PDB file of all heavy atoms in Angstrom:
ATOM      1  N   LYS A   1       0.831  -1.186   0.081  1.00 96.00           N
ATOM      2  CA  LYS A   1      -0.004   0.098  -0.010  1.00 96.00           C
ATOM      3  C   LYS A   1       0.781   1.257   0.067  1.00 96.00           C
ATOM      4  O   LYS A   1       1.888   1.316   0.789  1.00 96.00           O
ATOM      5  CB  LYS A   1      -0.777  -0.054   1.183  1.00 96.00           C
ATOM      6  CG  LYS A   1      -1.753   1.140   1.405  1.00 96.00           C
ATOM      7  CD  LYS A   1      -2.528   1.124   2.699  1.00 96.00           C
ATOM      8  CE  LYS A   1      -3.326   2.258   3.108  1.00 96.00           C
ATOM      9  NZ  LYS A   1      -4.461   2.544   2.152  1.00 96.00           N
ATOM     10  N   LYS A   2       0.498   2.213  -0.887  1.00 97.00           N
ATOM     11  CA  LYS A   2       1.332   3.521  -0.764  1.00 97.00           C
ATOM     12  C   LYS A   2       0.882   4.268   0.471  1.00 97.00           C
ATOM     13  O   LYS A   2      -0.315   4.557   0.715  1.00 97.00           O
ATOM     14  CB  LYS A   2       1.110   4.278  -2.088  1.00 97.00           C
ATOM     15  CG  LYS A   2       1.830   3.780  -3.246  1.00 97.00           C
ATOM     16  CD  LYS A   2       1.841   4.683  -4.486  1.00 97.00           C
ATOM     17  CE  LYS A   2       2.823   4.206  -5.526  1.00 97.00           C
ATOM     18  NZ  LYS A   2       2.945   5.244  -6.557  1.00 97.00           N
ATOM     19  N   ILE A   3       1.890   4.874   1.099  1.00 96.00           N
ATOM     20  CA  ILE A   3       1.576   5.576   2.358  1.00 96.00           C
ATOM     21  C   ILE A   3       2.515   6.888   2.135  1.00 96.00           C
ATOM     22  O   ILE A   3       3.585   6.858   1.765  1.00 96.00           O
ATOM     23  CB  ILE A   3       2.179   4.814   3.502  1.00 96.00           C
ATOM     24  CG1 ILE A   3       1.236   3.562   3.826  1.00 96.00           C
ATOM     25  CG2 ILE A   3       2.062   5.829   4.761  1.00 96.00           C
ATOM     26  CD1 ILE A   3      -0.123   3.800   4.241  1.00 96.00           C
ATOM     27  N   ASN A   4       1.872   8.108   2.461  1.00 97.00           N
ATOM     28  CA  ASN A   4       2.628   9.295   2.479  1.00 97.00           C
ATOM     29  C   ASN A   4       3.174   9.754   3.807  1.00 97.00           C
ATOM     30  O   ASN A   4       2.273   9.819   4.852  1.00 97.00           O
ATOM     31  CB  ASN A   4       1.743  10.480   1.897  1.00 97.00           C
ATOM     32  CG  ASN A   4       1.477  10.161   0.418  1.00 97.00           C
ATOM     33  OD1 ASN A   4       2.338   9.876  -0.316  1.00 97.00           O
ATOM     34  ND2 ASN A   4       0.254  10.467   0.044  1.00 97.00           N
ATOM     35  N   ILE A   5       4.328   9.881   4.024  1.00 97.00           N
ATOM     36  CA  ILE A   5       5.021  10.399   5.192  1.00 97.00           C
ATOM     37  C   ILE A   5       5.538  11.791   4.936  1.00 97.00           C
ATOM     38  O   ILE A   5       6.548  11.912   4.365  1.00 97.00           O
ATOM     39  CB  ILE A   5       6.087   9.477   5.791  1.00 97.00           C
ATOM     40  CG1 ILE A   5       5.452   8.140   5.887  1.00 97.00           C
ATOM     41  CG2 ILE A   5       6.640   9.936   7.073  1.00 97.00           C
ATOM     42  CD1 ILE A   5       6.620   6.959   6.027  1.00 97.00           C
ATOM     43  N   GLY A   6       4.796  12.869   5.287  1.00 96.00           N
ATOM     44  CA  GLY A   6       5.088  14.091   4.901  1.00 96.00           C
ATOM     45  C   GLY A   6       5.231  14.208   3.330  1.00 96.00           C
ATOM     46  O   GLY A   6       4.354  13.856   2.596  1.00 96.00           O
ATOM     47  N   ASN A   7       6.352  14.652   2.782  1.00 95.00           N
ATOM     48  CA  ASN A   7       6.474  14.677   1.344  1.00 95.00           C
ATOM     49  C   ASN A   7       7.217  13.430   0.746  1.00 95.00           C
ATOM     50  O   ASN A   7       7.613  13.478  -0.387  1.00 95.00           O
ATOM     51  CB  ASN A   7       7.288  15.930   1.026  1.00 95.00           C
ATOM     52  CG  ASN A   7       8.703  16.009   1.626  1.00 95.00           C
ATOM     53  OD1 ASN A   7       9.065  14.956   2.423  1.00 95.00           O
ATOM     54  ND2 ASN A   7       9.439  17.093   1.355  1.00 95.00           N
ATOM     55  N   VAL A   8       7.335  12.357   1.596  1.00 97.00           N
ATOM     56  CA  VAL A   8       7.944  11.207   1.122  1.00 97.00           C
ATOM     57  C   VAL A   8       6.841  10.083   1.026  1.00 97.00           C
ATOM     58  O   VAL A   8       6.063   9.816   1.884  1.00 97.00           O
ATOM     59  CB  VAL A   8       8.963  10.641   2.109  1.00 97.00           C
ATOM     60  CG1 VAL A   8       9.516   9.287   1.583  1.00 97.00           C
ATOM     61  CG2 VAL A   8      10.163  11.734   2.071  1.00 97.00           C
ATOM     62  N   THR A   9       6.770   9.410  -0.100  1.00 97.00           N
ATOM     63  CA  THR A   9       5.947   8.338  -0.358  1.00 97.00           C
ATOM     64  C   THR A   9       6.661   7.008  -0.381  1.00 97.00           C
ATOM     65  O   THR A   9       7.815   6.748  -0.965  1.00 97.00           O
ATOM     66  CB  THR A   9       5.244   8.463  -1.778  1.00 97.00           C
ATOM     67  OG1 THR A   9       4.575   9.681  -1.874  1.00 97.00           O
ATOM     68  CG2 THR A   9       4.225   7.253  -2.092  1.00 97.00           C
ATOM     69  N   ILE A  10       6.122   6.061   0.441  1.00 97.00           N
ATOM     70  CA  ILE A  10       6.657   4.707   0.466  1.00 97.00           C
ATOM     71  C   ILE A  10       5.666   3.751   0.096  1.00 97.00           C
ATOM     72  O   ILE A  10       4.440   3.929   0.173  1.00 97.00           O
ATOM     73  CB  ILE A  10       7.256   4.402   1.931  1.00 97.00           C
ATOM     74  CG1 ILE A  10       5.957   4.360   2.867  1.00 97.00           C
ATOM     75  CG2 ILE A  10       8.164   5.481   2.367  1.00 97.00           C
ATOM     76  CD1 ILE A  10       6.334   3.729   4.370  1.00 97.00           C
ATOM     77  N   GLY A  11       6.173   2.517  -0.272  1.00 96.00           N
ATOM     78  CA  GLY A  11       5.248   1.469  -0.682  1.00 96.00           C
ATOM     79  C   GLY A  11       4.810   1.592  -2.192  1.00 96.00           C
ATOM     80  O   GLY A  11       5.027   2.599  -2.755  1.00 96.00           O
ATOM     81  N   GLY A  12       4.201   0.396  -2.701  1.00 95.00           N
ATOM     82  CA  GLY A  12       3.683   0.498  -4.016  1.00 95.00           C
ATOM     83  C   GLY A  12       4.769   0.669  -5.088  1.00 95.00           C
ATOM     84  O   GLY A  12       4.599   1.216  -6.152  1.00 95.00           O
ATOM     85  N   GLY A  13       6.024   0.178  -4.733  1.00 93.00           N
ATOM     86  CA  GLY A  13       7.139   0.274  -5.687  1.00 93.00           C
ATOM     87  C   GLY A  13       7.859   1.570  -5.586  1.00 93.00           C
ATOM     88  O   GLY A  13       8.767   2.010  -6.490  1.00 93.00           O
ATOM     89  N   SER A  14       7.512   2.517  -4.634  1.00 96.00           N
ATOM     90  CA  SER A  14       8.239   3.721  -4.415  1.00 96.00           C
ATOM     91  C   SER A  14       9.694   3.358  -4.209  1.00 96.00           C
ATOM     92  O   SER A  14      10.092   2.390  -3.621  1.00 96.00           O
ATOM     93  CB  SER A  14       7.639   4.637  -3.427  1.00 96.00           C
ATOM     94  OG  SER A  14       6.180   4.882  -3.577  1.00 96.00           O
ATOM     95  N   PRO A  15      10.553   4.360  -4.328  1.00 95.00           N
ATOM     96  CA  PRO A  15      11.987   4.111  -3.971  1.00 95.00           C
ATOM     97  C   PRO A  15      12.039   3.864  -2.376  1.00 95.00           C
ATOM     98  O   PRO A  15      11.232   4.397  -1.599  1.00 95.00           O
ATOM     99  CB  PRO A  15      12.767   5.516  -4.181  1.00 95.00           C
ATOM    100  CG  PRO A  15      11.803   6.105  -5.179  1.00 95.00           C
ATOM    101  CD  PRO A  15      10.443   5.688  -4.960  1.00 95.00           C
ATOM    102  N   ILE A  16      12.985   3.028  -2.049  1.00 97.00           N
ATOM    103  CA  ILE A  16      13.046   2.655  -0.681  1.00 97.00           C
ATOM    104  C   ILE A  16      13.704   3.758   0.131  1.00 97.00           C
ATOM    105  O   ILE A  16      14.717   4.246  -0.289  1.00 97.00           O
ATOM    106  CB  ILE A  16      14.110   1.291  -0.493  1.00 97.00           C
ATOM    107  CG1 ILE A  16      13.521   0.172  -1.164  1.00 97.00           C
ATOM    108  CG2 ILE A  16      14.276   1.078   1.000  1.00 97.00           C
ATOM    109  CD1 ILE A  16      14.412  -1.054  -1.338  1.00 97.00           C
ATOM    110  N   ALA A  17      12.936   4.132   1.224  1.00 97.00           N
ATOM    111  CA  ALA A  17      13.410   5.324   1.971  1.00 97.00           C
ATOM    112  C   ALA A  17      14.334   4.914   3.098  1.00 97.00           C
ATOM    113  O   ALA A  17      14.187   3.858   3.668  1.00 97.00           O
ATOM    114  CB  ALA A  17      12.248   6.022   2.614  1.00 97.00           C
ATOM    115  N   ILE A  18      15.355   5.721   3.374  1.00 97.00           N
ATOM    116  CA  ILE A  18      16.311   5.554   4.344  1.00 97.00           C
ATOM    117  C   ILE A  18      15.948   6.257   5.471  1.00 97.00           C
ATOM    118  O   ILE A  18      15.673   7.530   5.454  1.00 97.00           O
ATOM    119  CB  ILE A  18      17.768   5.841   3.845  1.00 97.00           C
ATOM    120  CG1 ILE A  18      18.190   5.022   2.694  1.00 97.00           C
ATOM    121  CG2 ILE A  18      18.785   5.757   5.038  1.00 97.00           C
ATOM    122  CD1 ILE A  18      19.487   5.477   2.080  1.00 97.00           C
ATOM    123  N   GLN A  19      15.961   5.571   6.708  1.00 97.00           N
ATOM    124  CA  GLN A  19      15.518   6.310   8.013  1.00 97.00           C
ATOM    125  C   GLN A  19      16.765   6.177   9.018  1.00 97.00           C
ATOM    126  O   GLN A  19      17.669   5.413   8.913  1.00 97.00           O
ATOM    127  CB  GLN A  19      14.435   5.697   8.646  1.00 97.00           C
ATOM    128  CG  GLN A  19      13.069   5.738   7.708  1.00 97.00           C
ATOM    129  CD  GLN A  19      11.852   5.332   8.554  1.00 97.00           C
ATOM    130  OE1 GLN A  19      11.849   5.665   9.797  1.00 97.00           O
ATOM    131  NE2 GLN A  19      10.928   4.834   7.808  1.00 97.00           N
ATOM    132  N   SER A  20      16.736   7.135   9.962  1.00 96.00           N
ATOM    133  CA  SER A  20      17.535   7.051  11.137  1.00 96.00           C
ATOM    134  C   SER A  20      16.751   7.687  12.277  1.00 96.00           C
ATOM    135  O   SER A  20      15.756   8.096  12.184  1.00 96.00           O
ATOM    136  CB  SER A  20      18.882   7.664  10.799  1.00 96.00           C
ATOM    137  OG  SER A  20      19.725   7.618  12.094  1.00 96.00           O
ATOM    138  N   MET A  21      17.453   7.769  13.392  1.00 96.00           N
ATOM    139  CA  MET A  21      16.854   8.296  14.582  1.00 96.00           C
ATOM    140  C   MET A  21      17.749   9.256  15.296  1.00 96.00           C
ATOM    141  O   MET A  21      18.950   8.792  15.479  1.00 96.00           O
ATOM    142  CB  MET A  21      16.318   7.256  15.592  1.00 96.00           C
ATOM    143  CG  MET A  21      15.621   7.782  16.743  1.00 96.00           C
ATOM    144  SD  MET A  21      14.733   6.314  17.740  1.00 96.00           S
ATOM    145  CE  MET A  21      13.866   7.380  18.925  1.00 96.00           C
ATOM    146  N   THR A  22      17.313  10.347  15.754  1.00 97.00           N
ATOM    147  CA  THR A  22      18.225  11.203  16.533  1.00 97.00           C
ATOM    148  C   THR A  22      18.557  10.639  17.886  1.00 97.00           C
ATOM    149  O   THR A  22      17.733   9.836  18.456  1.00 97.00           O
ATOM    150  CB  THR A  22      17.679  12.654  16.644  1.00 97.00           C
ATOM    151  OG1 THR A  22      16.282  12.525  17.285  1.00 97.00           O
ATOM    152  CG2 THR A  22      17.368  13.279  15.286  1.00 97.00           C
ATOM    153  N   ASN A  23      19.638  11.045  18.402  1.00 95.00           N
ATOM    154  CA  ASN A  23      20.091  10.642  19.818  1.00 95.00           C
ATOM    155  C   ASN A  23      20.149  11.775  20.696  1.00 95.00           C
ATOM    156  O   ASN A  23      20.672  11.686  21.861  1.00 95.00           O
ATOM    157  CB  ASN A  23      21.273   9.751  19.773  1.00 95.00           C
ATOM    158  CG  ASN A  23      22.533  10.472  19.174  1.00 95.00           C
ATOM    159  OD1 ASN A  23      22.502  11.648  19.013  1.00 95.00           O
ATOM    160  ND2 ASN A  23      23.468   9.629  18.793  1.00 95.00           N
ATOM    161  N   THR A  24      19.696  12.906  20.320  1.00 96.00           N
ATOM    162  CA  THR A  24      19.734  14.198  21.087  1.00 96.00           C
ATOM    163  C   THR A  24      18.349  14.188  21.935  1.00 96.00           C
ATOM    164  O   THR A  24      17.371  13.615  21.407  1.00 96.00           O
ATOM    165  CB  THR A  24      19.733  15.462  20.289  1.00 96.00           C
ATOM    166  OG1 THR A  24      18.737  15.406  19.247  1.00 96.00           O
ATOM    167  CG2 THR A  24      21.035  15.431  19.473  1.00 96.00           C
ATOM    168  N   PRO A  25      18.287  14.969  22.986  1.00 96.00           N
ATOM    169  CA  PRO A  25      16.999  15.252  23.682  1.00 96.00           C
ATOM    170  C   PRO A  25      16.190  16.007  22.762  1.00 96.00           C
ATOM    171  O   PRO A  25      16.645  17.074  22.273  1.00 96.00           O
ATOM    172  CB  PRO A  25      17.423  16.052  24.938  1.00 96.00           C
ATOM    173  CG  PRO A  25      18.895  15.791  25.179  1.00 96.00           C
ATOM    174  CD  PRO A  25      19.474  15.597  23.722  1.00 96.00           C
ATOM    175  N   THR A  26      14.947  15.526  22.416  1.00 97.00           N
ATOM    176  CA  THR A  26      14.224  16.157  21.453  1.00 97.00           C
ATOM    177  C   THR A  26      13.857  17.656  21.739  1.00 97.00           C
ATOM    178  O   THR A  26      13.716  18.500  20.813  1.00 97.00           O
ATOM    179  CB  THR A  26      12.916  15.411  21.151  1.00 97.00           C
ATOM    180  OG1 THR A  26      13.331  14.067  20.732  1.00 97.00           O
ATOM    181  CG2 THR A  26      12.171  15.916  19.936  1.00 97.00           C
ATOM    182  N   ASP A  27      13.569  17.846  22.973  1.00 96.00           N
ATOM    183  CA  ASP A  27      13.378  19.250  23.422  1.00 96.00           C
ATOM    184  C   ASP A  27      14.535  20.180  23.398  1.00 96.00           C
ATOM    185  O   ASP A  27      14.354  21.461  23.534  1.00 96.00           O
ATOM    186  CB  ASP A  27      12.679  19.225  24.863  1.00 96.00           C
ATOM    187  CG  ASP A  27      13.609  18.726  25.925  1.00 96.00           C
ATOM    188  OD1 ASP A  27      14.502  17.916  25.623  1.00 96.00           O
ATOM    189  OD2 ASP A  27      13.294  18.893  27.102  1.00 96.00           O
ATOM    190  N   ASP A  28      15.709  19.665  23.190  1.00 97.00           N
ATOM    191  CA  ASP A  28      16.815  20.506  22.770  1.00 97.00           C
ATOM    192  C   ASP A  28      16.732  20.747  21.213  1.00 97.00           C
ATOM    193  O   ASP A  28      17.400  20.136  20.538  1.00 97.00           O
ATOM    194  CB  ASP A  28      18.223  19.821  23.169  1.00 97.00           C
ATOM    195  CG  ASP A  28      19.328  20.650  22.938  1.00 97.00           C
ATOM    196  OD1 ASP A  28      19.281  21.833  22.311  1.00 97.00           O
ATOM    197  OD2 ASP A  28      20.361  20.468  23.614  1.00 97.00           O
ATOM    198  N   ILE A  29      15.997  21.675  20.908  1.00 97.00           N
ATOM    199  CA  ILE A  29      15.665  21.924  19.537  1.00 97.00           C
ATOM    200  C   ILE A  29      16.900  22.119  18.670  1.00 97.00           C
ATOM    201  O   ILE A  29      17.000  21.723  17.589  1.00 97.00           O
ATOM    202  CB  ILE A  29      14.524  23.024  19.354  1.00 97.00           C
ATOM    203  CG1 ILE A  29      13.303  22.602  20.079  1.00 97.00           C
ATOM    204  CG2 ILE A  29      14.273  23.396  17.845  1.00 97.00           C
ATOM    205  CD1 ILE A  29      12.269  23.703  20.167  1.00 97.00           C
ATOM    206  N   ALA A  30      17.798  23.095  19.217  1.00 98.00           N
ATOM    207  CA  ALA A  30      18.967  23.454  18.482  1.00 98.00           C
ATOM    208  C   ALA A  30      19.862  22.302  18.117  1.00 98.00           C
ATOM    209  O   ALA A  30      20.269  22.006  17.063  1.00 98.00           O
ATOM    210  CB  ALA A  30      19.760  24.364  19.085  1.00 98.00           C
ATOM    211  N   ALA A  31      20.105  21.347  19.123  1.00 98.00           N
ATOM    212  CA  ALA A  31      20.904  20.244  18.911  1.00 98.00           C
ATOM    213  C   ALA A  31      20.195  19.200  18.064  1.00 98.00           C
ATOM    214  O   ALA A  31      20.882  18.495  17.264  1.00 98.00           O
ATOM    215  CB  ALA A  31      21.252  19.596  20.320  1.00 98.00           C
ATOM    216  N   THR A  32      18.918  18.976  18.235  1.00 98.00           N
ATOM    217  CA  THR A  32      18.193  18.079  17.372  1.00 98.00           C
ATOM    218  C   THR A  32      18.122  18.457  15.903  1.00 98.00           C
ATOM    219  O   THR A  32      18.306  17.625  14.943  1.00 98.00           O
ATOM    220  CB  THR A  32      16.761  18.000  17.881  1.00 98.00           C
ATOM    221  OG1 THR A  32      16.852  17.413  19.282  1.00 98.00           O
ATOM    222  CG2 THR A  32      15.872  16.928  17.085  1.00 98.00           C
ATOM    223  N   VAL A  33      17.764  19.747  15.705  1.00 98.00           N
ATOM    224  CA  VAL A  33      17.850  20.268  14.392  1.00 98.00           C
ATOM    225  C   VAL A  33      19.276  20.096  13.683  1.00 98.00           C
ATOM    226  O   VAL A  33      19.431  19.648  12.514  1.00 98.00           O
ATOM    227  CB  VAL A  33      17.381  21.827  14.286  1.00 98.00           C
ATOM    228  CG1 VAL A  33      17.731  22.366  12.942  1.00 98.00           C
ATOM    229  CG2 VAL A  33      15.944  21.920  14.624  1.00 98.00           C
ATOM    230  N   ALA A  34      20.222  20.425  14.359  1.00 98.00           N
ATOM    231  CA  ALA A  34      21.668  20.294  13.915  1.00 98.00           C
ATOM    232  C   ALA A  34      21.984  18.861  13.487  1.00 98.00           C
ATOM    233  O   ALA A  34      22.548  18.670  12.356  1.00 98.00           O
ATOM    234  CB  ALA A  34      22.626  20.724  14.913  1.00 98.00           C
ATOM    235  N   GLN A  35      21.625  17.908  14.255  1.00 98.00           N
ATOM    236  CA  GLN A  35      21.828  16.605  13.905  1.00 98.00           C
ATOM    237  C   GLN A  35      20.941  16.122  12.694  1.00 98.00           C
ATOM    238  O   GLN A  35      21.498  15.384  11.758  1.00 98.00           O
ATOM    239  CB  GLN A  35      21.471  15.612  15.122  1.00 98.00           C
ATOM    240  CG  GLN A  35      21.895  14.183  14.849  1.00 98.00           C
ATOM    241  CD  GLN A  35      21.820  13.324  16.216  1.00 98.00           C
ATOM    242  OE1 GLN A  35      20.843  12.943  16.569  1.00 98.00           O
ATOM    243  NE2 GLN A  35      23.000  12.943  16.679  1.00 98.00           N
ATOM    244  N   ILE A  36      19.678  16.600  12.602  1.00 98.00           N
ATOM    245  CA  ILE A  36      18.879  16.122  11.428  1.00 98.00           C
ATOM    246  C   ILE A  36      19.431  16.784  10.259  1.00 98.00           C
ATOM    247  O   ILE A  36      19.459  16.096   9.148  1.00 98.00           O
ATOM    248  CB  ILE A  36      17.356  16.626  11.645  1.00 98.00           C
ATOM    249  CG1 ILE A  36      16.728  15.933  12.828  1.00 98.00           C
ATOM    250  CG2 ILE A  36      16.586  16.544  10.504  1.00 98.00           C
ATOM    251  CD1 ILE A  36      15.412  16.428  13.230  1.00 98.00           C
ATOM    252  N   LEU A  37      20.020  17.971  10.298  1.00 97.00           N
ATOM    253  CA  LEU A  37      20.591  18.584   9.088  1.00 97.00           C
ATOM    254  C   LEU A  37      21.795  17.755   8.613  1.00 97.00           C
ATOM    255  O   LEU A  37      22.026  17.712   7.414  1.00 97.00           O
ATOM    256  CB  LEU A  37      20.973  20.080   9.412  1.00 97.00           C
ATOM    257  CG  LEU A  37      19.733  20.992   9.522  1.00 97.00           C
ATOM    258  CD1 LEU A  37      20.199  22.368   9.839  1.00 97.00           C
ATOM    259  CD2 LEU A  37      18.744  20.982   8.376  1.00 97.00           C
ATOM    260  N   GLU A  38      22.522  17.234   9.513  1.00 96.00           N
ATOM    261  CA  GLU A  38      23.676  16.427   9.195  1.00 96.00           C
ATOM    262  C   GLU A  38      23.240  15.189   8.535  1.00 96.00           C
ATOM    263  O   GLU A  38      23.798  14.517   7.601  1.00 96.00           O
ATOM    264  CB  GLU A  38      24.534  16.025  10.516  1.00 96.00           C
ATOM    265  CG  GLU A  38      25.501  17.196  10.912  1.00 96.00           C
ATOM    266  CD  GLU A  38      26.410  17.630   9.910  1.00 96.00           C
ATOM    267  OE1 GLU A  38      27.079  16.634   9.410  1.00 96.00           O
ATOM    268  OE2 GLU A  38      26.515  18.824   9.525  1.00 96.00           O
TER     269      GLU A  38
END
């Protein structure tokens, strides 16, 4: 089944999406954003 996650579509033959998870405290917005940008 095709599923939309924000602007990324997965499933139904869509390109395989690569994920990761931050290891910063999420409420430390500056640190979390910096890691996501990396």
Side-chain angles (χ1 to χ4, degrees):
K1 177 182 173 67
K2 282 196 173 185
I3 296 289
N4 293 317
I5 305 167
N7 59 0
V8 173
T9 300
I10 66 168
S14 303
I16 297 171
I18 298 173
Q19 298 194 29
S20 185
M21 185 171 182
T22 56
N23 58 19
T24 56
T26 305
D27 59 342
D28 186 341
I29 294 171
T32 301
V33 167
Q35 188 169 74
I36 293 174
L37 293 177
E38 284 298 311

